[in-house]
Amino acid sequence: MGDVDEMLHRSGRTARAAVGRLEDSTALDGPAEVVRRVAQAVLRPRTVSAVLRGVPAGHAAHPPLTDVPIGLWFSASALDLLAPVTGRRAADRLVGLGVLAAAPTALSGLADWETSERRDPAVRRVGVVHGVANLAALGLYTTSWVLRRRGHRAAGVLVGLAGGTFLGVGGYLGGHLALVRHAPHHDPLATTTVERVATGVRRTTTRGPATDAFEGVPLDETKRSTTDHGEIRTWIEAQGGRPALIPPLGPHEVPVPAAIFPSGPSGSGAVPATWQEWFDAFDRGGLAFVRPAQLTQAPPFFELAQA
């Protein structure tokens, strides 16, 4: 049993190392930028964005949708191999249904990726490869369906099996994104809290020493914005602050990130939290951290806005 356990662990380490190389590959950032532009165009209509992100379901739509084309396509391959004569008509229909089901599945995955890739470069890069693998699978299964319809059944079956290979790679990377990288980071029902923060009703205000600890993205001449976890933590700690959370007001809201400074908490009702809890709430709310460009005269403060 010891040899078997070691073999299994070695296999897992090899697979994780391969994905780690994808996570670190800056060469994928260029293609990711192209995908981001496509995603922003597709998700521009608010209703489309809400549906694809899973608002009607109460959680991300992509994970359960993936079961549909995967189940249909692998069932078709099973019939191709185990019942090549009696199951051929059912197999052909399953392939076609899988092609139809792949469209909403891919679009919901694009929505999840667009939400998370801004905060996690690893999600950005692995997500691109995940999408390419699944698109390759879709292309092969579509070709398989066309070949079957034209009477080239043997070729259609082989092309479908090739599609299953790409589907397996895409599924593995999707599992890594969900279980290891915890993507998507956004809670689709966190809109109430986000809107309240974005409009300033629950703005967090600091009163620490005037320290400019990092450079963010300029909003105007007075404020800078970032979603980078390291920069946010550096800035808050430079003011002598510690992470805190304001408890949610309702069951469908997430806690509001705040901070406790030497002069007091940055928000009413803030309670101490870990940085992990702080950034979990920050990511789930889809927030951006806004702080003054310079802290020279007015008391320093930070705000949370919709990213």
Side-chain angles (χ1 to χ4, degrees), residues 202 204 242-247 256-260 264-273:
R202 297 186 73 178
T204 54
R242 293 178 288 113
L245 293 173
I246 300 173
V256 177
I260 297 176
S266 64
S268 176
V271 296

Side-chain angles (χ1 to χ4, degrees), residues 2 22 28 63 89 92 114 165 229 250 268 283:
L22 293 178
L28 293 169
R89 179 175 295 181
D92 295 350
E114 194 272 340
T165 301
H229 291 188
S268 176
D283 289 338

Side-chain angles (χ1 to χ4, degrees), residues 95-190:
V95 170
L97 289 173
V99 170
L100 294 176
T105 303
L107 290 173
S108 63
L110 185 66
D112 283 356
W113 177 86
E114 194 272 340
T115 298
S116 302
E117 63 88 17
R118 292 171 291 176
R119 292 170 171 77
D120 190 343
V123 170
R124 177 187 311 133
R125 296 159 185 164
V126 175
V128 167
V129 181
H130 166 69
V132 169
N134 286 329
L135 285 177
L138 173 58
L140 288 168
Y141 276 112
T142 302
T143 302
S144 173
W145 183 80
V146 171
L147 289 171
R148 293 163 189 259
R149 294 284 293 178
R150 293 181 177 178
H152 305 294
R153 180 165 186 78
V157 170
L158 291 175
V159 171
L161 293 174
T165 301
F166 282 95
L167 192 65
V169 173
Y172 176 82
L173 294 176
H176 179 84
L177 290 170
L179 301 176
V180 178
R181 306 307 308 186
H182 305 294
H185 296 148
H186 179 63
D187 183 345
L189 292 183

Side-chain angles (χ1 to χ4, degrees), residues 225-252:
S225 172
T226 185
T227 58
D228 184 271
H229 291 188
E231 293 180 351
I232 295 169
R233 179 172 179 172
T234 296
W235 191 88
I236 290 177
E237 290 182 341
Q239 319 306 318
R242 293 178 288 113
L245 293 173
I246 300 173
L249 296 179
H252 298 309

Side-chain angles (χ1 to χ4, degrees), residues 185-196:
H185 296 148
H186 179 63
D187 183 345
L189 292 183
T191 52
T192 303
T193 296
V194 172
E195 290 170 358
R196 184 174 290 117

